[in-house]
Amino acid sequence: MRIFDPHIHMTSRTTDDYARMAAAGVAAVVEPSFWLGQPRTGPSSFTDYFDSLVGWEPYRAAQFGVVHHATIALNPKEANDPRCRPVLDLLPRYLDKDRVVAVGEIGYDSMTPEEDDAFERQLALAVEHELPALVHTPHRDKAAGTRRTLDLVKASGLEPGRVAVDHLNEVTVGLVHGSGCWMGFSIYPETKMSPPRMVELLRRYGTERVLVNSAADWGVSDPLLTLETAREMLAAGFDEDDVDQVMWRNPVEFYGQSGRLDLSAVTGAAEPTFAGSSIKRGGE
Amino acid sequence: MTPPERLRAALRDTPHAAWLEQALAEPGRFTRSFAAAGRRTGRAPLPGAPGWTADEAVRALLLESLPPGRAAAEAHDLYRHGDADEKRAVLKALPMLPAGADALPVTVPLLRDAIRTNDARLLAAALGPYAAHLDQAAWRQAVLKCVFMGVPLSEVDRLDERADAELAAMLAAFAAEREAAGRPMPGDAAALLGRLTGDRTPEET
Ligand SMILES: [Zn+2]
């Protein structure tokens, strides 16, 4: 089984996690930039973090045979802090990097005017840099936040197929399903979504435009819940191909829209690359 | 041939040469072209330029094209905001930068930064010909770090010319530590120590 975790914060995880993930078949990850738990107080702590997402972390992942890409953005929570907002002007430089495959995580935390502004500006950056967008939905007032998210996405001019709306649940999935955006689900040990509930949603909504992630970070989380969800799918009667679609081909298709997804280390150069994700290799 | 001429020759008749030409024709997009080079040319080794990949070669030639007054500052900026591949390309391009000795206070700190990292690719790239500008103490520490991190000593430019008694003493101490731990000394480091102390090592007999 091959697994692509489309949303996991490896910076907060240990090398033991990388080793266990690789052994479980997690061969590729995307690490969205996000909040670190401790508030940052200025743009340079963001850029040091971004540098690590495009420098040290892919190198660390590669030691374990895991391919690492990143998404870059000012997260919604810190968009409210005037000390952090100047980082918005520094984003374009990072959005040009080879291993940056989306703008994200953007979206809402408390739905303030500051968040509206940062969200809007960063959707525009996604259009300008020809990148997809990864959108976080709020933990509180989730349904309202999701509706407002979809309105803003619609107004941005970014194609719905280039947007993933993440951390969905039974209440919000229907809204996103109808919008044409990708539906992201974070499988958590306690909160958000569990493997059995996820399987139920896959039954109801199908396996297309679905992204399943562990969103593992510095909180209570488990980088192997993608694998557990895959097993739960098989036990519920989905076949290997369904599992491969959800756990591998879907994230490849979504992030492949960046034109920057380089999975040659995993797939071998001989394997045909996915439409839109092919990287022209030297001399070819 | 100078190193840039060698890279240009290796790129000739590849699609990368056309892309490079296009990038050079748009100086206003210099930073964006530098960042995009990896996905435009791929990262495969460049036949005709041993030790260079296609993206490194076009990035080095982009840097080499800069006006002398701006080259060092631009290299510094590209390194500071670069991903690991960009940083490595800057380090490898330093010897061909159109900049004189007055640039050293700007460029040598890049080597020192790379040596401080734990990224073997950056460490190796910092020990190319430009490492001639590192003082001997920093250079010795960097060589020892290569041994620690498993970077082959063949990556170190002018190794035998520059290796001295002090480095021999450091390597001998490292060998003693390794022996106490029951771990082998890397073959190339043992061989270097042998050459420095006049002992024959198993690799050489
Ligand atoms: Zn997250």
Side-chain angles (χ1 to χ4, degrees):
Chain A
M1 191 184 301
R2 51 181 188 170
I3 295 174
F4 185 140
D5 194 331
H7 183 154
I8 182 165
H9 301 283
M10 292 310 299
T11 302
S12 306
R13 312 299 305 193
T14 64
T15 51
D16 280 3
D17 287 326
Y18 270 125
R20 289 189 308 135
M21 288 161 64
V26 183
V29 297
V30 166
E31 174 156 9
S33 60
F34 203 57
W35 191 50
L36 288 180
Q38 169 75 28
R40 278 170 280 220
T41 58
S44 73
S45 41
F46 278 92
T47 53
D48 285 342
Y49 173 61
F50 297 158
D51 289 338
S52 149
L53 292 184
V54 299
W56 174 239
E57 202 56 43
Y59 180 72
R60 210 164 74 96
Q63 313 301 307
F64 298 87
V66 176
V67 175
H68 182 288
H69 291 83
T71 79
I72 295 287
L74 169 61
N75 63 77
K77 205 183 278 268
E78 288 176 303
N80 292 300
D81 189 332
R83 296 172 302 177
C84 298
R85 288 183 72 84
V87 78
L88 284 169
D89 299 324
L90 305 176
L91 293 177
R93 194 153 191 173
Y94 286 93
L95 297 179
D96 274 342
K97 301 298 179 199
D98 272 343
R99 306 193 74 80
V100 173
V101 291
V103 175
E105 296 176 57
I106 51 178
Y108 287 119
D109 179 59
S110 306
M111 293 186 270
T112 62
E114 287 80 7
E115 290 173 28
D116 276 326
D117 176 64
F119 192 178
E120 216 166 343
R121 282 171 67 183
Q122 293 184 95
L123 286 170
L125 285 174
V127 174
E128 191 186 327
H129 291 262
E130 297 175 2
L131 286 172
L134 177 65
V135 182
H136 163 100
T137 51
H139 305 293
R140 306 170 302 273
D141 204 4
K142 205 174 194 53
T146 305
R147 265 190 293 273
R148 194 150 147 189
T149 292
L150 292 172
D151 288 344
L152 213 62
V153 165
K154 203 164 186 182
S156 75
L158 196 58
E159 268 173 64
R162 293 174 71 84
V163 177
V165 183
D166 213 343
H167 313 315
L168 299 180
N169 59 24
E170 289 82 354
V171 176
T172 52
V173 59
L175 292 167
V176 181
H177 185 257
S179 73
C181 294
W182 287 71
M183 296 162 278
F185 297 91
S186 300
I187 315 299
Y188 263 38
E190 287 159 17
T191 54
K192 294 186 184 170
M193 180 61 55
S194 67
R197 282 166 60 201
M198 185 66 235
V199 168
E200 201 40 51
L201 287 175
L202 285 165
R203 272 216 192 94
R204 192 141 25 118
Y205 290 94
T207 52
E208 276 178 28
R209 277 193 291 128
V210 171
L211 300 171
V212 173
N213 60 69
S214 72
D217 58 10
W218 36 258
V220 177
S221 50
D222 178 351
L224 295 187
L225 285 180
T226 45
L227 174 67
E228 202 178 313
T229 305
R231 288 191 176 138
E232 197 87 21
M233 280 177 75
L234 292 172
F238 285 98
D239 65 19
E240 300 271 354
D241 190 66
D242 296 326
V243 172
D244 191 64
Q245 182 189 1
V246 172
M247 296 296 167
W248 187 268
R249 300 198 306 270
N250 281 354
V252 170
E253 183 180 348
F254 177 70
Y255 288 118
Q257 298 181 92
S258 67
R260 304 187 198 172
L261 196 64
D262 184 0
L263 298 172
S264 55
V266 183
T267 56
E271 189 170 314
T273 43
F274 196 87
S277 72
S278 75
I279 297 280
K280 199 170 77 172
R281 308 304 299 173
E284 283 171 22
Chain B
M1 273 197 288
T2 65
E5 283 166 357
R6 233 188 336 264
L7 292 183
R8 263 188 285 272
L11 286 169
R12 197 167 299 136
D13 303 326
T14 72
H16 317 319
W19 185 79
L20 176 62
E21 206 171 307
Q22 189 193 327
L24 289 171
E26 296 177 289
R29 291 178 55 87
F30 182 85
T31 310
R32 297 196 72 174
S33 298
F34 194 84
R39 55 186 180 273
R40 298 289 178 247
T41 66
R43 306 168 191 92
L46 189 60
W52 289 82
T53 59
D55 59 321
E56 287 168 358
V58 299
R59 282 176 171 148
L61 291 173
L62 281 170
L63 278 168
E64 191 256 351
S65 76
L66 287 169
R70 251 182 56 209
E74 195 76 47
H76 182 275
D77 188 58
L78 290 168
Y79 180 93
R80 167 63 192 87
H81 298 285
D83 64 23
D85 289 343
E86 290 176 274
K87 283 190 159 91
R88 186 171 156 86
V90 171
L91 294 168
K92 291 181 77 165
L94 288 176
M96 44 184 106
L97 216 57
D102 56 333
L104 293 175
V106 177
T107 51
V108 173
L110 303 185
L111 297 183
R112 292 178 175 277
D113 180 275
I115 291 166
R116 273 194 300 274
T117 70
N118 248 6
D119 187 327
R121 298 164 308 171
L122 296 183
L123 175 61
L127 288 171
Y130 210 72
H133 300 296
L134 280 177
D135 63 74
Q136 191 66 6
W139 182 83
R140 281 190 214 103
Q141 285 291 339
V143 173
L144 196 63
K145 186 163 176 174
C146 286
V147 178
F148 262 84
M149 289 182 59
V151 173
L153 291 179
S154 57
E155 299 271 341
V156 180
D157 188 61
R158 290 170 53 229
L159 176 67
D160 279 67
E161 208 176 304
R162 217 171 156 178
D164 56 11
E166 178 89 28
L167 180 63
M170 289 159 79
L171 286 170
F174 178 66
E177 261 184 68
R178 276 283 163 109
E179 199 183 326
R183 298 176 60 201
M185 176 86 158
D188 56 357
L192 174 62
L193 181 57
R195 292 198 297 279
L196 289 171
T197 56
D199 291 337
R200 294 281 129 204
T201 66
E203 281 79 14
E204 292 180 308
T205 50

